[in-house]
Each structure stands twice: as C-alpha cells, then as structure tokens.
Amino acid sequence: MTNDKRSSNAGSSVVRKCLLLGSMAAFATATLYFAGVFNGDTVTAQRFVDLQQGDEPHLGFRRAHAKGMCVSGRFESTGALASYSTAAIFNEGDTEFLGRFSIAGNNPTAPDLKAPVRSFAFVVNSATTQEWRVAMNTPPVMAVATPDAFFQQLQALSPDPITKQRDPEKIKAFFKAHPESKAFNEWKAGYVPTNSFATERYHSINAFYLHNAHGEKQAVRFEAVPDDDYKELVELDQTSADALQQQLAEQLKNQPVKFDLMFTLAHSSDDENNPTIPWPTTRKTINAGTLVITDWRPQDEGKCGAQNFDPLVLPAGMSATADPILRARGAAYAQSYRRRATETLLDGQSTNQ
Ligand code: HEM
C-alpha cells in the first residue's frame, strides 16, 4: 500500500468516526429535545402542560378541559362514508361509543357558563385496530397554525400570577401580530353560546385523511351538528356553576341527544395542514351517521374519566395530516394523562378524572 493510500484510508476513517460521532450526537440531541430536557425557547409537551396547568395544578385532573361529564350511546352509521374509508365504523350499522362533554380550562370547578369554549370527545372500538379517538371544540378554526404560536397565544392569555387578571394589552398585541387569527376572531365575535351542550356544533378543526379500498385518500374535516328536534329544551339554571351538566342530565331523562357527524371533503386547493383557514362552504359534505347519546355519568365515575382522547389514535382507513398542531396534540395529551394518572394512583383513588 502506498503512503498516499494509507493517508487517504486514515483520512476516511477519521471522517467516518466524525460522521458516527456526529450522528450519535444528533440522535442524543433529538432524544433530549423530545424528552423536554431543553427548556429554553423550545416548545415541548412538558412546557405546554406546565403552562396549561397554571401555578397551582389541580392534581388528578386533566390539565386542559378539566371540567366535564361522561356520556355514552351508539353511532348509527349511514354507510355513506364507506366508499371513502375502510374504517369499520363507517360501514352501515351501529357502534357503541363512550364520550365526554367539557369546558376549556384547567379548573375542575369552574362555572360552566363562563367558559369561552365547549367541547365534545368520544372513542369507538377501543383497544382494537379500529379504535378512533376524537376531541372536538366549538370554534371551527384555530387562531394560529403552529405549536410555537399557540404556546405564545396561551402565554398572552394567561392571567398575571400576582393580580390573577389577564392583560388586555398583551392579548391585543398578540392578535395584532397574528393576522392569521382573522377567521377565528370573526367566529368569536359572532358566537352566541347556546343553552345546552346538546345544541352546540363541535368541530374537528384539524384535518385528517380518509383511505378507501382502492388506495385513494381524501382530506376531510368533520363536525358534530346537533339534531334540530330540541324544541323543548330543559331550562338552564343560570345561577348554577354546573348549569350545562345539570341541563344535559335532565334533557337525557326526556329524550336521547343526537348529533349528525358531518364530513367536509377538501378540494385540492384547500390546505389541509393549516387549521386557521376555513374551507369554502360550497365543499361537498357527507352525513356519516348519527351519534345518539342515551346515558351520562359524573366524570369521576364514568370510564371516560380515565380516557385520553388523543386525536392521533385513528382506525385503519384514516390517518393524520401533517398539520403541526394536530401532530403536537398527541404528546401534550399524553403528558397531561401521565401527570393525572400518577397523581390519582398516589392519591389511592380507584379512578381518575
Ligand atoms: C397544540 C395544540 C393543543 C394542545 C397543546 C392541547 C392540549 C390539551 C391537553 C393537555 C388536554 C388534556 C388531555 C388529557 O389529560 O387527557 C387537552 C384536552 C382536550 N383538547 Fe386539546 N390541545 C390542543 C389543541 C386542541 C384542538 C385543536 C382541539 C379541538 C379540535 C382540542 C380539543 C380538546 C378537547 C375536546 C379536550 C378534552 C378531551 C377530553 O374530554 O378528555 N385541543 N388538550
């Protein structure tokens, strides 16, 4: 072997070692990043949940949407979505579901009627390859399109730790710096809360893909639209902190509460990865079926208290889009779940909230 070859072999061995060390360092950095070790400006699931739970966490409870009630019933599928998705739930027929209505916020005793956002979550076919977990909110869109910007939004909306008041100037400045929040703010300005969980519309906000038996995929958003036969709504007790829960419990004594699960099909010009932009109302919609709610339980009794409604748990025949907000949700929900489950076990309770 010539000296030239020897030095070139030695050189390439050094390069290989550098590359190996470099990739090991990159792997370690990524691992530490996702473990939330770097708490600088990086938004991690841990930092999200730290911020959402506030200075005095309510132990054992969800760190967001802490106050809620559990419901159960069946999904009566029309079969109309079966040609778009192979998911079992979209075949014609009934599937039982477990659900939860909640209000946004970290306080499990907050007054129902003060909450700016109401929510509906459900799960079907749990613990099978056909499991589908859903968590929907009343706004049809997000104010911002990235986890970083959403983190800043939560920071701007957080009350001052001393005065416990929000700073209107900070909030104004945030929305001014985020013109993409236009559609959200328009919705907010026109939104009139209804007198029942049963009469709100709940939106997936993020988009998903449906996959059919021919390997075709279709981007969709979906919403739960209330059945309009609630002409005789049980009256709401405006003075009660639990007004919405009590109203729904009474309503269910009279009749099941129903929602149609409406899917909107994206056009190729719609951006399925940006949850701030509404799709035109002319897009094709399909009624996948009706969610029929027949029963309810307090959240500390119902099985759904221990449920994590992670929207990334999808049945075969559905998949997640690359929407970065959607992708960030799974880790944050898991972080909140881990905290509340650990606290509940340490507390010796048999269920968690
Ligand atoms: C990056 C954005 C988001 C973050 C960090 C986040 C965070 C969280 C966390 C930590 C929980 C508590 C989970 C648990 O303990 O089980 C939660 C619950 C929930 N979130 Fe989000 N969320 C985000 C976006 C959204 C969006 C876009 C929607 C609506 C489409 C939504 C709807 C809900 C609902 C309905 C619940 C309560 C589910 C239940 O009843 O258990 N979230 N969220």
Side-chain angles (χ1 to χ4, degrees):
M1 194 183 283
T2 64
N3 279 347
D4 275 0
K5 274 195 182 154
R6 235 177 258 129
S7 70
S8 127
N9 279 347
S12 60
S13 148
V14 169
V15 169
R16 270 202 305 276
K17 276 185 187 146
C18 285
L19 282 174
L20 185 65
L21 285 174
S23 54
M24 281 165 71
F27 177 73
T29 309
T31 308
L32 291 171
Y33 170 85
F34 288 113
V37 169
F38 301 130
N39 276 353
D41 287 337
T42 309
V43 178
T44 60
Q46 286 88 336
R47 289 190 70 212
F48 252 120
V49 175
D50 285 347
L51 183 62
Q52 286 176 303
Q53 71 184 11
D55 294 336
E56 292 160 22
H58 296 274
L59 303 186
F61 289 88
R62 286 170 170 80
R63 287 348 200 229
H65 305 256
K67 189 178 181 198
M69 68 192 292
C70 294
V71 292
S72 55
R74 61 184 183 278
F75 176 67
E76 297 176 345
S77 171
T78 55
L81 219 59
S83 57
Y84 290 90
S85 170
T86 53
I89 186 177
F90 299 126
N91 293 332
E92 197 176 342
D94 295 359
T95 310
E96 286 183 3
F97 74 86
L98 188 65
R100 183 171 178 268
F101 286 101
S102 63
I103 54 171
N106 61 22
N107 180 357
T109 56
D112 283 351
L113 300 181
K114 289 267 161 64
V117 168
R118 297 173 183 173
S119 312
F120 180 30
F122 68 85
V123 56
V124 292
N125 292 327
S126 42
T128 69
T129 54
Q130 288 296 329
E131 178 164 357
W132 185 27
R133 302 188 196 175
V134 175
M136 299 172 287
N137 280 347
T138 37
V141 286
M142 291 281 291
V144 290
T146 64
D148 277 344
F150 184 54
F151 189 80
Q152 288 159 25
Q153 182 186 344
L154 293 179
Q155 281 180 317
L157 293 170
S158 295
D160 181 280
I162 295 160
T163 63
K164 309 280 180 211
Q165 300 297 314
R166 284 179 167 180
D167 180 348
E169 287 309 312
K170 221 171 160 182
I171 298 173
K172 221 165 109 187
F174 173 83
F175 283 110
K176 201 170 166 209
H178 289 276
E180 72 275 26
S181 59
K182 186 168 175 274
F184 173 83
N185 284 324
E186 279 171 6
W187 169 83
K188 203 168 157 222
Y191 170 66
V192 181
T194 68
N195 280 344
S196 173
F197 275 134
T199 48
E200 293 287 349
R201 292 169 87 108
Y202 302 92
H203 301 88
S204 72
I205 305 181
N206 305 116
F208 297 82
Y209 294 117
L210 299 180
H211 300 265
N212 69 12
H214 308 292
E216 295 156 341
K217 76 173 183 183
Q218 168 67 53
V220 291
R221 286 177 178 158
F222 54 86
E223 64 181 305
V225 179
D227 192 279
D228 59 7
D229 68 357
Y230 290 104
K231 295 183 179 81
E232 288 174 35
L233 261 194
V234 171
E235 215 177 308
L236 195 65
D237 176 1
Q238 304 276 349
T239 62
S240 169
D242 303 328
L244 288 173
Q245 296 201 9
Q246 288 162 354
Q247 195 281 341
L248 189 68
E250 287 303 310
Q251 191 73 35
L252 284 168
K253 285 184 189 162
N254 298 344
Q255 59 185 146
V257 163
K258 297 181 187 173
F259 292 89
D260 286 337
L261 200 57
M262 301 296 301
F263 279 71
T264 301
L265 275 47
H267 187 264
S268 56
S269 58
D270 299 325
D271 184 354
E272 66 263 38
N273 297 322
N274 186 336
T276 65
I277 305 173
W279 296 343
T281 51
T282 48
R283 295 288 174 259
K284 181 173 177 173
T285 57
I286 295 178
N287 185 352
T290 306
L291 291 152
V292 183
I293 299 168
T294 50
D295 203 1
W296 75 278
R297 287 277 179 278
Q299 64 174 355
D300 54 355
E301 284 176 23
K303 268 199 240 160
C304 76
Q307 175 75 41
N308 168 2
F309 292 96
D310 173 352
L312 294 178
V313 177
L314 296 160
M318 279 184 90
S319 66
T321 55
D323 174 348
I325 293 273
L326 176 60
R327 295 300 176 120
R329 289 173 68 186
Y333 291 30
Q335 180 60 215
S336 168
Y337 179 81
R338 204 167 296 129
R339 292 185 193 189
R340 62 191 171 92
T342 315
E343 292 151 2
T344 305
L345 284 177
L346 291 176
D347 211 21
Q349 296 171 19
S350 57
T351 58
N352 62 46
Q353 280 75 31

